Amino acid sequence: MTSDIDFIRGLPKAELHLHIEGSLEPEQMFEFARRNRVALPFKTVEEVRAAYAFSNLQDFLDIYYQGAGVLMTEPDFHDLAMAYFRRAAADGARHVEMFFDPQTHTDRGLPFSVAIDGLLSGMAEAKAELGVSSKLILCFLRHLDEEAAFATLKAAEPYFSRLGGVGLDSSEVGHPPSKFAGVFKAAHRRGLKLVAHAGEEGPPEYVWEALDVLGVDRLDHGNRSLEDPALVERLVASGMTLTVCPLSNLKLCVVDDLKAHPLKRMLDLGLKATVNSDDPAYFGGYLAQNWIETADALRLTREELVTLAKNSFTGSFLSPAEIATHLAAIDAYVA
Ligand code: HPA
Ligand code: ZN
């Protein structure tokens, strides 16, 4: 019998919660800073890694937005995406739904097209060279106002046919989903899929708002839903997919120990959970590492691993025919 590590790496899977700016490795940060003549407050890779000790989401976000400041050109975004896709492909990812934060870049003076054109070209190359398909999800920064989100949606209009959807990320507490009701409604009217981070640090009420006010098609994190049995019932009954990020939760102190991570409890409750990496360069591991460490800490069975893999495709925004093809590949792999 193959080891669980080999079994996990080979298992066909999708990644549904990945911020591409969060895949910026310290080595790459120095490379882009050199290329673009951007000054960094760090002298060595070790110094950068030493700064990655976070006590909460905001600690991380401060350093994550600072790191993104080295990304200046379309080739930077292309190369960032391809570096991520190579790691994802090696981890057994067959499909990725990738977030990006355009406001982080337009607020630094980059034209809207730079990040999105670079990422779309990386995505096309990943499909051609690695056989990994992908969709791009534009996230609005929730610490900014809804007017700024509307301006971003307007700038994205020429790209709507190439966007997988819109999402909501950044500082959660104090910025409830309802703050973005109007812009999500506008995105929905334009046929875009909707996702939102909710219940990572924010209360169950924020998850209710993501469902009832925004009308999300998928929920990012959702951990704190478990505090509200009526909410769990609602999520189970609607078959809502949760994009759970175990190593992120550990690094951002959402859980103190992976052994106490709620992923197994979510599966036992009948929630459609998936395992994802969030910001792998900052949180200590890419997709397979999240699976391996979580499977070990929670003693997940092969049956549970297969359920997680299937959830990653049924919770994706692929077509029913594409999903069926991936599910068949999982069955063939297990057999
Ligand atoms: N939560 C909220 N916003 C984010 C995250 C996260 O985990 N990663 C990047 N932006
Ligand atoms: Zn996230």
mmCIF file of all heavy atoms in Angstrom, residues 167-196:
data_model
loop_
_atom_site.group_PDB
_atom_site.id
_atom_site.type_symbol
_atom_site.label_atom_id
_atom_site.label_comp_id
_atom_site.label_asym_id
_atom_site.label_seq_id
_atom_site.Cartn_x
_atom_site.Cartn_y
_atom_site.Cartn_z
ATOM 1 N N GLY A 167 -14.938 38.013 -5.200
ATOM 2 C CA GLY A 167 -14.857 37.602 -3.797
ATOM 3 C C GLY A 167 -14.619 38.795 -2.892
ATOM 4 O O GLY A 167 -14.555 39.946 -3.355
ATOM 5 N N LEU A 168 -14.480 38.495 -1.609
ATOM 6 C CA LEU A 168 -14.317 39.542 -0.594
ATOM 7 C C LEU A 168 -13.262 39.058 0.392
ATOM 8 O O LEU A 168 -13.426 37.983 0.980
ATOM 9 C CB LEU A 168 -15.664 39.741 0.106
ATOM 10 C CG LEU A 168 -15.782 40.886 1.109
ATOM 11 C CD1 LEU A 168 -15.599 42.236 0.416
ATOM 12 C CD2 LEU A 168 -17.161 40.843 1.792
ATOM 13 N N ASP A 169 -12.190 39.858 0.553
ATOM 14 C CA ASP A 169 -11.142 39.430 1.490
ATOM 15 C C ASP A 169 -10.592 40.635 2.257
ATOM 16 O O ASP A 169 -11.176 41.714 2.216
ATOM 17 C CB ASP A 169 -10.042 38.628 0.762
ATOM 18 C CG ASP A 169 -9.231 39.454 -0.217
ATOM 19 O OD1 ASP A 169 -9.465 40.668 -0.347
ATOM 20 O OD2 ASP A 169 -8.346 38.867 -0.879
ATOM 21 N N SER A 170 -9.492 40.436 2.961
ATOM 22 C CA SER A 170 -8.841 41.419 3.836
ATOM 23 C C SER A 170 -9.495 41.431 5.235
ATOM 24 O O SER A 170 -10.185 40.470 5.585
ATOM 25 C CB SER A 170 -8.829 42.808 3.198
ATOM 26 O OG SER A 170 -7.967 43.654 3.930
ATOM 27 N N SER A 171 -9.271 42.505 5.983
ATOM 28 C CA SER A 171 -9.620 42.567 7.418
ATOM 29 C C SER A 171 -11.109 42.316 7.650
ATOM 30 O O SER A 171 -11.937 43.146 7.254
ATOM 31 C CB SER A 171 -9.261 43.949 7.961
ATOM 32 O OG SER A 171 -8.048 44.402 7.393
ATOM 33 N N GLU A 172 -11.439 41.215 8.312
ATOM 34 C CA GLU A 172 -12.853 40.826 8.385
ATOM 35 C C GLU A 172 -13.639 41.576 9.460
ATOM 36 O O GLU A 172 -14.702 42.142 9.171
ATOM 37 C CB GLU A 172 -12.980 39.308 8.606
ATOM 38 C CG GLU A 172 -14.437 38.847 8.547
ATOM 39 C CD GLU A 172 -14.628 37.358 8.794
ATOM 40 O OE1 GLU A 172 -13.646 36.659 9.116
ATOM 41 O OE2 GLU A 172 -15.789 36.912 8.672
ATOM 42 N N VAL A 173 -13.109 41.561 10.702
ATOM 43 C CA VAL A 173 -13.899 42.104 11.813
ATOM 44 C C VAL A 173 -14.095 43.612 11.624
ATOM 45 O O VAL A 173 -13.147 44.342 11.335
ATOM 46 C CB VAL A 173 -13.221 41.775 13.166
ATOM 47 C CG1 VAL A 173 -13.948 42.457 14.324
ATOM 48 C CG2 VAL A 173 -13.198 40.260 13.378
ATOM 49 N N GLY A 174 -15.340 44.060 11.737
ATOM 50 C CA GLY A 174 -15.656 45.474 11.525
ATOM 51 C C GLY A 174 -16.049 45.781 10.084
ATOM 52 O O GLY A 174 -16.475 46.900 9.780
ATOM 53 N N HIS A 175 -15.890 44.780 9.190
ATOM 54 C CA HIS A 175 -16.244 44.981 7.779
ATOM 55 C C HIS A 175 -17.145 43.834 7.318
ATOM 56 O O HIS A 175 -16.716 42.949 6.565
ATOM 57 C CB HIS A 175 -14.985 45.073 6.919
ATOM 58 C CG HIS A 175 -14.061 46.160 7.375
ATOM 59 N ND1 HIS A 175 -14.321 47.498 7.151
ATOM 60 C CD2 HIS A 175 -12.908 46.115 8.099
ATOM 61 C CE1 HIS A 175 -13.358 48.226 7.699
ATOM 62 N NE2 HIS A 175 -12.501 47.412 8.286
ATOM 63 N N PRO A 176 -18.402 43.839 7.769
ATOM 64 C CA PRO A 176 -19.308 42.730 7.478
ATOM 65 C C PRO A 176 -19.661 42.652 5.991
ATOM 66 O O PRO A 176 -19.569 43.657 5.279
ATOM 67 C CB PRO A 176 -20.556 43.071 8.306
ATOM 68 C CG PRO A 176 -20.490 44.544 8.519
ATOM 69 C CD PRO A 176 -19.031 44.895 8.579
ATOM 70 N N PRO A 177 -20.047 41.464 5.544
ATOM 71 C CA PRO A 177 -20.429 41.304 4.132
ATOM 72 C C PRO A 177 -21.474 42.331 3.673
ATOM 73 O O PRO A 177 -21.409 42.802 2.529
ATOM 74 C CB PRO A 177 -20.981 39.870 4.090
ATOM 75 C CG PRO A 177 -20.184 39.156 5.143
ATOM 76 C CD PRO A 177 -20.032 40.167 6.261
ATOM 77 N N SER A 178 -22.411 42.700 4.558
ATOM 78 C CA SER A 178 -23.497 43.610 4.150
ATOM 79 C C SER A 178 -22.979 44.955 3.643
ATOM 80 O O SER A 178 -23.654 45.642 2.885
ATOM 81 C CB SER A 178 -24.474 43.824 5.307
ATOM 82 O OG SER A 178 -23.760 44.221 6.461
ATOM 83 N N LYS A 179 -21.741 45.321 4.047
ATOM 84 C CA LYS A 179 -21.134 46.565 3.552
ATOM 85 C C LYS A 179 -21.007 46.548 2.017
ATOM 86 O O LYS A 179 -20.933 47.597 1.386
ATOM 87 C CB LYS A 179 -19.751 46.682 4.227
ATOM 88 C CG LYS A 179 -18.935 47.914 3.897
ATOM 89 C CD LYS A 179 -17.607 47.895 4.701
ATOM 90 C CE LYS A 179 -16.583 48.865 4.110
ATOM 91 N NZ LYS A 179 -15.255 48.746 4.768
ATOM 92 N N PHE A 180 -21.006 45.341 1.436
ATOM 93 C CA PHE A 180 -20.780 45.192 -0.013
ATOM 94 C C PHE A 180 -22.000 44.641 -0.750
ATOM 95 O O PHE A 180 -21.878 44.100 -1.844
ATOM 96 C CB PHE A 180 -19.530 44.323 -0.252
ATOM 97 C CG PHE A 180 -18.296 44.993 0.293
ATOM 98 C CD1 PHE A 180 -17.874 44.751 1.591
ATOM 99 C CD2 PHE A 180 -17.617 45.938 -0.456
ATOM 100 C CE1 PHE A 180 -16.774 45.421 2.131
ATOM 101 C CE2 PHE A 180 -16.518 46.619 0.063
ATOM 102 C CZ PHE A 180 -16.101 46.359 1.359
ATOM 103 N N ALA A 181 -23.186 44.812 -0.135
ATOM 104 C CA ALA A 181 -24.416 44.254 -0.725
ATOM 105 C C ALA A 181 -24.635 44.760 -2.148
ATOM 106 O O ALA A 181 -24.962 43.989 -3.048
ATOM 107 C CB ALA A 181 -25.605 44.616 0.160
ATOM 108 N N GLY A 182 -24.422 46.055 -2.366
ATOM 109 C CA GLY A 182 -24.716 46.653 -3.673
ATOM 110 C C GLY A 182 -23.794 46.140 -4.767
ATOM 111 O O GLY A 182 -24.252 45.782 -5.865
ATOM 112 N N VAL A 183 -22.513 46.072 -4.477
ATOM 113 C CA VAL A 183 -21.552 45.683 -5.521
ATOM 114 C C VAL A 183 -21.665 44.187 -5.835
ATOM 115 O O VAL A 183 -21.500 43.767 -6.981
ATOM 116 C CB VAL A 183 -20.117 46.126 -5.141
ATOM 117 C CG1 VAL A 183 -19.500 45.257 -4.072
ATOM 118 C CG2 VAL A 183 -19.228 46.181 -6.384
ATOM 119 N N PHE A 184 -22.011 43.388 -4.827
ATOM 120 C CA PHE A 184 -22.232 41.961 -5.095
ATOM 121 C C PHE A 184 -23.490 41.774 -5.947
ATOM 122 O O PHE A 184 -23.525 40.924 -6.837
ATOM 123 C CB PHE A 184 -22.298 41.153 -3.785
ATOM 124 C CG PHE A 184 -20.943 40.626 -3.363
ATOM 125 C CD1 PHE A 184 -19.937 41.498 -2.954
ATOM 126 C CD2 PHE A 184 -20.652 39.271 -3.394
ATOM 127 C CE1 PHE A 184 -18.664 41.024 -2.593
ATOM 128 C CE2 PHE A 184 -19.399 38.776 -3.034
ATOM 129 C CZ PHE A 184 -18.403 39.650 -2.636
ATOM 130 N N LYS A 185 -24.508 42.581 -5.676
ATOM 131 C CA LYS A 185 -25.734 42.505 -6.471
ATOM 132 C C LYS A 185 -25.431 42.869 -7.928
ATOM 133 O O LYS A 185 -25.892 42.194 -8.868
ATOM 134 C CB LYS A 185 -26.768 43.485 -5.882
ATOM 135 C CG LYS A 185 -28.151 43.303 -6.405
ATOM 136 C CD LYS A 185 -29.140 44.093 -5.570
ATOM 137 C CE LYS A 185 -30.551 43.843 -6.076
ATOM 138 N NZ LYS A 185 -31.527 44.610 -5.327
ATOM 139 N N ALA A 186 -24.613 43.896 -8.111
ATOM 140 C CA ALA A 186 -24.238 44.317 -9.475
ATOM 141 C C ALA A 186 -23.432 43.216 -10.174
ATOM 142 O O ALA A 186 -23.649 42.937 -11.354
ATOM 143 C CB ALA A 186 -23.433 45.611 -9.413
ATOM 144 N N ALA A 187 -22.525 42.572 -9.440
ATOM 145 C CA ALA A 187 -21.709 41.501 -10.034
ATOM 146 C C ALA A 187 -22.602 40.313 -10.412
ATOM 147 O O ALA A 187 -22.434 39.700 -11.470
ATOM 148 C CB ALA A 187 -20.626 41.065 -9.057
ATOM 149 N N HIS A 188 -23.570 40.007 -9.544
ATOM 150 C CA HIS A 188 -24.499 38.902 -9.814
ATOM 151 C C HIS A 188 -25.324 39.177 -11.072
ATOM 152 O O HIS A 188 -25.509 38.298 -11.917
ATOM 153 C CB HIS A 188 -25.410 38.699 -8.604
ATOM 154 C CG HIS A 188 -26.437 37.618 -8.795
ATOM 155 N ND1 HIS A 188 -26.089 36.294 -8.923
ATOM 156 C CD2 HIS A 188 -27.784 37.675 -8.913
ATOM 157 C CE1 HIS A 188 -27.188 35.574 -9.093
ATOM 158 N NE2 HIS A 188 -28.228 36.394 -9.103
ATOM 159 N N ARG A 189 -25.774 40.430 -11.193
ATOM 160 C CA ARG A 189 -26.550 40.814 -12.393
ATOM 161 C C ARG A 189 -25.747 40.638 -13.672
ATOM 162 O O ARG A 189 -26.301 40.379 -14.728
ATOM 163 C CB ARG A 189 -26.999 42.288 -12.292
ATOM 164 C CG ARG A 189 -28.321 42.491 -11.579
ATOM 165 C CD ARG A 189 -28.962 43.826 -11.967
ATOM 166 N NE ARG A 189 -28.064 44.948 -11.726
ATOM 167 C CZ ARG A 189 -28.037 45.647 -10.584
ATOM 168 N NH1 ARG A 189 -28.867 45.358 -9.600
ATOM 169 N NH2 ARG A 189 -27.196 46.646 -10.439
ATOM 170 N N ARG A 190 -24.426 40.762 -13.551
ATOM 171 C CA ARG A 190 -23.569 40.594 -14.728
ATOM 172 C C ARG A 190 -23.167 39.136 -14.941
ATOM 173 O O ARG A 190 -22.334 38.819 -15.784
ATOM 174 C CB ARG A 190 -22.317 41.476 -14.605
ATOM 175 C CG ARG A 190 -22.624 42.959 -14.455
ATOM 176 C CD ARG A 190 -23.434 43.502 -15.624
ATOM 177 N NE ARG A 190 -22.744 43.348 -16.894
ATOM 178 C CZ ARG A 190 -21.951 44.236 -17.445
ATOM 179 N NH1 ARG A 190 -21.761 45.388 -16.841
ATOM 180 N NH2 ARG A 190 -21.364 43.992 -18.584
ATOM 181 N N GLY A 191 -23.750 38.239 -14.157
ATOM 182 C CA GLY A 191 -23.526 36.806 -14.379
ATOM 183 C C GLY A 191 -22.285 36.245 -13.706
ATOM 184 O O GLY A 191 -21.881 35.114 -13.991
ATOM 185 N N LEU A 192 -21.667 37.029 -12.801
ATOM 186 C CA LEU A 192 -20.455 36.538 -12.135
ATOM 187 C C LEU A 192 -20.811 35.681 -10.914
ATOM 188 O O LEU A 192 -21.799 35.955 -10.218
ATOM 189 C CB LEU A 192 -19.591 37.728 -11.695
ATOM 190 C CG LEU A 192 -19.028 38.568 -12.846
ATOM 191 C CD1 LEU A 192 -18.440 39.881 -12.327
ATOM 192 C CD2 LEU A 192 -17.967 37.786 -13.623
ATOM 193 N N LYS A 193 -20.028 34.667 -10.660
ATOM 194 C CA LYS A 193 -20.179 33.867 -9.444
ATOM 195 C C LYS A 193 -19.697 34.700 -8.255
ATOM 196 O O LYS A 193 -18.832 35.575 -8.401
ATOM 197 C CB LYS A 193 -19.330 32.596 -9.536
ATOM 198 C CG LYS A 193 -19.799 31.627 -10.606
ATOM 199 C CD LYS A 193 -20.955 30.812 -10.100
ATOM 200 C CE LYS A 193 -21.255 29.677 -11.051
ATOM 201 N NZ LYS A 193 -22.524 29.003 -10.669
ATOM 202 N N LEU A 194 -20.229 34.360 -7.071
ATOM 203 C CA LEU A 194 -19.933 35.141 -5.863
ATOM 204 C C LEU A 194 -19.370 34.248 -4.763
ATOM 205 O O LEU A 194 -19.932 33.180 -4.473
ATOM 206 C CB LEU A 194 -21.221 35.789 -5.341
ATOM 207 C CG LEU A 194 -22.068 36.592 -6.343
ATOM 208 C CD1 LEU A 194 -23.334 37.101 -5.653
ATOM 209 C CD2 LEU A 194 -21.285 37.739 -6.954
ATOM 210 N N VAL A 195 -18.280 34.720 -4.145
ATOM 211 C CA VAL A 195 -17.739 34.054 -2.947
ATOM 212 C C VAL A 195 -17.367 35.151 -1.959
ATOM 213 O O VAL A 195 -17.238 36.317 -2.338
ATOM 214 C CB VAL A 195 -16.500 33.178 -3.274
ATOM 215 C CG1 VAL A 195 -16.827 32.109 -4.299
ATOM 216 C CG2 VAL A 195 -15.314 34.014 -3.764
ATOM 217 N N ALA A 196 -17.195 34.781 -0.697
ATOM 218 C CA ALA A 196 -16.745 35.767 0.295
ATOM 219 C C ALA A 196 -16.060 35.041 1.443
ATOM 220 O O ALA A 196 -16.488 33.956 1.848
ATOM 221 C CB ALA A 196 -17.922 36.585 0.829
#
